[in-house]
Amino acid sequence: MNTIIIKNQTLSYLGDASILLCPLTTFLCSHRVPEGVVDAIRQWVNGLDSANTCVVCGNLTGEERLMCRLLVERGIPVVLSLANAIPDDISELKLSSQEMTAVQTGRMVVVSPVTDATIKCPSGKTSAARNLLMIAIATHIVVGFMTENGNLARQLLGIRNVSVLHFEGQNEVRETDTQKVRDNANRMGWTIYKRLKEGCPLVTADSSDEDASDSSVEDLMPWESASKVEPVSSLEMRRLLAQYLKLNDIEKPSLLHSLVMFQVVKYYSNFPDFNFTAFFRLWGPGNLRQEDWKATKINDIWLPSLADRVICRLFKAMPSRFHEPINREEQFDPLLAHTLIDEALQRTKKPNKRLLQRALNLAYFEHNSEAISKYRELLGKDAPQ
């Protein structure tokens, strides 16, 4: 069987592998689908440009097989991805005559991440591996249908450029569904928060974890990592946050919303390609809770509040002769800084030195002579010259 390396993974293939060099659109779909999904699939296929589209699909579900047949009928190049080894006898794939012709004429290529010829039937593990491969090689992903917290939704967590043809509950939108929609959004939000927390740069997997013996290195597929918890990279972090911000039904302000901000400002805000100021605008300055303005005392040590951490990070984007900006593309927002500084000053009868120095720095930045005099007087001999 022929093999090829795509995205650092070795695949077996049957047919013309040059199709794999084209921009690929992957089609995925849950096993159980409600009424209306098939019509949505047909409508999507009918709208494709056969001259500029190549689609990756599978053959495990009825919707995937329908997709493959419709694509071949329209003359659209297809990458058929299997969850088992490609059989030596192509007739075992049970392709239609049109699909067989597509393979022979270079309009379809059959691929599989399973290179062990003895694996003749799909399993849960190989099916998940097939999905991960289809996601990895795609420039765009189209989902026929998926449930909010199903396996497919978890695999697509943090992936951008995903379109869903039919959403869960689309056929029956009722007022009583509002709470269910919110619950689903909250579950997804907590899942994103958990990933940010477990994969933060200062946390590593615990080798003494009781579950560490559940799977040995030998049991892992080649593209799987032996580490229990992979650190969140800058790219994954930005994808996770983009997906979180799209959850419009998340309650704001809320504990979850504040915890997400805490993880970002404490562990991820110094990534050089992350625009924290832009993220905070989208997160919402008005979403800070009362508790987020209060410092916490642990073992006689006072830890800064979430609001103070945010203010500190916003000021790191201010041009200064004392430090280089963390992200050169991030613009300091004096209006946003003013909003938080003013709120912090109103919340305390006796502002601490650090808060007054930030207020003074902001006054210098804006060349506000009146404010400069005011805060220099309050700081006294500690005021910077």
Side-chain angles (χ1 to χ4, degrees):
M1 186 60 62
N2 298 320
T3 60
I4 188 173
I5 298 177
I6 299 291
K7 300 289 183 179
N8 297 322
Q9 306 302 329
T10 302
L11 311 176
S12 58
Y13 72 92
L14 174 66
D16 186 356
S18 63
I19 296 178
L20 297 170
L21 302 178
C22 303
L24 302 174
T25 298
T26 284
F27 173 81
L28 296 166
C29 191
S30 295
H31 281 71
R32 297 179 181 178
V33 300
E35 184 180 353
V37 174
V38 172
D39 291 338
I41 291 174
R42 290 182 182 274
Q43 184 177 1
W44 179 72
V45 173
N46 290 336
L48 292 176
D49 180 1
S50 59
N52 297 291
T53 307
C54 183
V55 179
V56 185
C57 66
N59 68 340
L60 292 180
T61 69
E63 287 69 30
E64 289 179 334
R65 289 191 289 272
L66 170 65
M67 172 63 71
C68 186
R69 180 173 59 81
L70 293 176
L71 292 169
V72 170
E73 288 177 356
R74 290 209 55 211
I76 296 174
V78 179
V79 177
L80 181 61
S81 183
L82 307 182
N84 53 271
I86 299 176
D88 294 329
D89 186 356
I90 192 174
S91 64
E92 294 181 26
L93 295 177
K94 298 181 180 179
L95 301 177
S96 68
S97 58
Q98 284 184 307
E99 291 169 333
M100 286 290 292
T101 301
V103 173
Q104 295 166 356
T105 57
R107 303 292 291 180
M108 177 191 287
V109 59
V110 182
V111 302
S112 174
V114 181
T115 56
D116 184 351
T118 62
I119 302 178
K120 300 182 180 296
C121 298
S123 66
K125 189 170 186 176
T126 59
S127 297
R130 182 209 67 161
N131 283 1
L132 291 175
L133 170 71
M134 294 170 68
I135 292 169
I137 65 176
T139 55
H140 182 225
I141 298 171
V142 174
V143 179
F145 173 80
M146 66 177 176
T147 54
E148 283 288 346
N149 285 293
N151 292 331
L152 183 55
R154 287 192 289 271
Q155 287 180 323
L156 293 174
L157 185 64
I159 304 297
R160 306 171 85 181
N161 300 323
V162 177
S163 302
V164 181
L165 300 181
H166 194 98
F167 291 93
E168 185 176 13
Q170 187 169 319
N171 288 337
E172 43 178 346
V173 179
R174 304 184 300 267
E175 291 184 5
T176 54
D177 290 334
T178 303
Q179 188 59 46
K180 180 179 179 182
V181 171
R182 289 175 180 170
D183 290 344
N184 287 336
N186 277 323
R187 281 195 292 270
M188 184 64 72
W190 282 106
T191 300
I192 293 173
Y193 163 72
K194 182 179 179 182
R195 173 64 183 132
L196 289 170
K197 181 180 179 181
E198 291 181 345
C200 70
L202 300 183
V203 176
T204 57
D206 184 358
S207 60
S208 64
D209 194 324
E210 293 179 358
D211 296 331
S213 61
D214 287 351
S215 59
S216 64
V217 175
E218 291 76 10
D219 292 332
L220 296 173
M221 301 299 278
W223 50 87
E224 294 178 314
S225 171
S227 175
K228 275 293 187 183
V229 180
E230 289 291 334
V232 172
S233 65
S234 177
L235 177 59
E236 183 186 2
M237 178 268 295
R238 286 181 279 120
R239 286 176 172 174
L240 288 170
L241 295 180
Q243 187 169 4
Y244 176 80
L245 291 173
K246 290 179 181 179
L247 299 174
N248 296 323
D249 295 292
I250 290 288
E251 184 182 354
K252 304 170 187 177
S254 67
L255 174 61
L256 169 61
H257 205 51
S258 295
L259 286 174
V260 169
M261 174 55 72
F262 179 83
Q263 292 299 318
V264 171
V265 75
K266 185 174 182 181
Y267 297 113
Y268 301 100
S269 63
N270 290 344
F271 280 16
D273 53 355
F274 178 55
N275 191 329
F276 177 80
T277 301
F279 170 73
F280 182 62
R281 287 198 204 100
L282 295 173
W283 185 89
N287 290 326
L288 287 166
R289 305 172 302 152
Q290 294 288 338
E291 299 90 331
D292 297 335
W293 292 91
K294 298 177 181 177
T296 305
K297 188 175 184 181
I298 300 179
N299 297 330
D300 296 327
I301 298 176
W302 284 98
L303 301 179
S305 67
L306 175 59
D308 191 54
R309 293 175 187 272
V310 170
I311 293 172
C312 178
R313 176 56 182 83
L314 289 176
F315 270 80
K316 288 184 179 180
M318 175 189 284
S320 170
R321 69 178 185 273
F322 300 110
H323 66 82
E324 289 290 330
I326 293 175
N327 179 353
R328 293 184 178 276
E329 297 182 1
E330 183 176 355
Q331 298 294 320
F332 177 65
D333 189 335
L335 181 60
L336 189 58
H338 251 308
T339 300
L340 294 179
I341 289 292
D342 291 346
E343 178 76 12
L345 290 170
Q346 291 174 9
R347 287 176 173 272
T348 177
K349 294 181 180 180
K350 188 177 180 181
N352 60 42
K353 186 187 304 182
R354 181 175 55 196
L355 179 58
L356 290 173
Q357 286 177 336
R358 286 173 181 160
L360 179 59
N361 291 339
L362 187 57
Y364 274 123
F365 179 82
E366 296 181 320
H367 305 289
N368 186 334
S369 57
E370 182 179 348
I372 290 173
S373 299
K374 172 185 174 181
Y375 293 119
R376 281 182 60 84
E377 182 180 351
L378 289 172
L379 279 166
K381 63 179 182 179
D382 294 321
Q385 301 298 319

